[in-house]
Amino acid sequence: RGASVRAEKNFSRSDSSVGLSAQVCLHGGQVVSWRNHRGEELLFSSSKAIFKPPRATRGGIPICFPQFGNCGTLEQHGFARNKIWTIDDEAPPLNYGDNNSNKASVDLLLKPSEDDLKCWPHCFELRLRVSLSMDGDLSLISRVRNVNGKPFSFAFAYHTYLSVSDISEVRIEGLETLDYLDNLSQRERFTEQGDAITFESEVDRVYVGCPGVIAVLDHGKKRTFIVRKEGLPDIVVWNPWEKKSKTMADFGDDEYKQMLCVDAAAVERAITLKPGEEWTGKLELSAVASTNCSDH
Ligand code: TA6
């Protein structure tokens, strides 16, 4: 996967932490692995993932910036996930407002090249801090700054591929009664009626005005992902299902059953920054054993 860095820290080498790890690539600033205390992989990666720069590999957490989807002038999901980032070693270390004491962190930076400015003429700095806590929580904090150019607007998403046992046994709690834009019907607006979102076919929706915390319950693995977000009002939910996944060369046969994208995002309303302004978008993922899946 080209250059990648591992967030490692000398945690007290107790057995409870020996399996913990997270891996982020300089290519795309993409988290490509997140493992729990037992060394179990919590993010989906396609068995047919193609590492062929500039394309992003299928899985992990690609960064979608400054565009989401293909409604704009840039490539699908913008260019950030297709660029080589650098380690952000600008001193003094920037204050991300997070208690960094018991975490392993990596700080990455993306600035526009001359070529980038030709296709998106805005002077930005995009900083990303990827952290892994002793408890096994993964956090991503992004900061976009308008470096005293003219005002600009952008969309953003942490395109998060969660690894699940069987999509037909997964449900999402916390999005009930919300409106969503359905990408399968020209982004028409609907209101969620269910008491929890379950999956029987292709889903590609942008839930808008979401709460700060939602839960993704994986009945098969008796595991619940807790998704916490700040500065990101929307949640994109995507599973291509069988037919659509077979049209994608970098999606293994039937692998749609083992993944679900739950993207903390700012899609419905673009974020606008005046010169000198900065935006912060935070995502924190926890994976906990869930005994209450039995009432599935
Ligand atoms: O998650 C929403 C979505 O825009 C889907 O419509 C689908 O295109 C998915 O992203 C994957 O996009 P990618 O460019 O990574 O294949």
Side-chain angles (χ1 to χ4, degrees):
R1 291 186 191 280
S4 67
V5 288
R6 295 178 66 84
E8 305 223 12
K9 187 172 183 178
N10 300 323
F11 284 130
S12 52
R13 299 300 295 171
S14 60
D15 289 348
S16 66
S17 71
V18 70
L20 276 185
S21 73
Q23 190 167 347
V24 55
C25 284
L26 294 179
H27 183 268
Q30 184 172 349
V31 172
V32 291
S33 174
W34 168 39
R35 291 179 182 270
N36 64 12
H37 295 86
R38 287 186 296 280
E40 294 165 327
E41 179 58 64
L42 299 168
L43 297 177
F44 169 84
S45 284
S46 167
S47 61
K48 291 192 177 173
I50 303 164
F51 181 67
K52 188 168 176 287
R55 289 277 305 153
T57 57
R58 175 82 53 199
I61 309 178
I63 301 287
C64 302
F65 171 85
Q67 175 182 300
F68 187 79
N70 51 20
C71 45
T73 58
L74 302 173
E75 65 260 56
Q76 162 102 331
H77 292 332
F79 50 72
R81 66 174 180 169
N82 299 330
K83 294 288 177 189
I84 299 295
W85 296 43
T86 58
I87 298 288
D88 183 13
D89 49 13
E90 294 190 13
L94 286 157
N95 172 13
Y96 278 77
D98 58 334
N99 166 15
N100 218 9
S101 57
N102 203 13
K103 292 180 180 176
S105 293
V106 166
D107 290 348
L108 301 183
L109 171 63
L110 180 69
K111 291 180 181 178
S113 64
E114 288 308 313
D115 280 351
D116 296 334
L117 289 169
K118 288 176 191 149
C119 63
W120 201 65
H122 303 298
C123 297
F124 72 89
E125 286 176 355
L126 169 51
R127 285 182 159 80
L128 170 65
R129 169 167 289 175
V130 180
S131 302
L132 181 66
S133 75
M134 181 69 173
D135 298 334
D137 295 347
L138 178 71
S139 72
L140 286 78
I141 303 176
S142 292
R143 303 167 49 158
V144 178
R145 194 161 72 88
N146 181 333
V147 187
N148 301 324
K150 53 187 187 304
F152 63 73
S153 299
F154 63 93
F156 187 95
Y158 290 114
H159 194 23
T160 307
Y161 285 76
L162 298 175
S163 173
V164 298
S165 54
D166 179 344
I167 186 63
S168 63
E169 295 194 305
V170 172
R171 72 176 192 274
I172 300 179
E173 295 181 352
L175 300 178
E176 301 81 357
T177 76
L178 294 180
D179 281 3
Y180 63 86
L181 312 176
D182 192 342
N183 285 325
L184 301 181
S185 54
Q186 290 76 42
R187 286 200 157 189
E188 191 179 347
R189 197 179 188 94
F190 296 91
T191 300
E192 180 56 54
Q193 303 300 324
D195 61 354
I197 299 169
T198 53
F199 301 89
E200 295 85 26
S201 61
E202 180 181 0
V203 170
D204 190 348
R205 300 172 180 173
V206 181
Y207 285 83
V208 297
C210 301
V213 184
I214 68 161
V216 180
L217 288 81
D218 179 351
H219 177 67
K221 287 185 179 171
K222 296 269 184 285
R223 175 184 293 154
T224 296
F225 290 101
I226 307 295
V227 180
R228 293 183 178 85
K229 59 186 181 62
E230 288 177 37
L232 294 155
D234 308 326
I235 292 271
V236 180
V237 178
W238 177 59
N239 185 289
W241 220 256
E242 182 173 16
K243 187 176 171 204
K244 177 68 74 63
S245 67
K246 287 196 183 327
T247 68
M248 293 185 261
D250 61 352
F251 229 113
D253 292 345
D254 285 348
E255 280 189 331
Y256 73 93
K257 294 177 181 172
Q258 278 86 45
M259 57 71 66
L260 178 62
C261 277
V262 179
D263 309 355
V267 171
E268 185 193 27
R269 293 195 181 85
I271 297 157
T272 299
L273 294 179
K274 299 187 188 90
E277 280 191 330
E278 182 175 75
W279 164 84
T280 299
K282 295 186 181 182
L283 168 67
E284 183 175 278
L285 295 174
S286 308
V288 298
S290 44
T291 51
N292 66 346
C293 279
S294 55
D295 59 10
H296 179 61

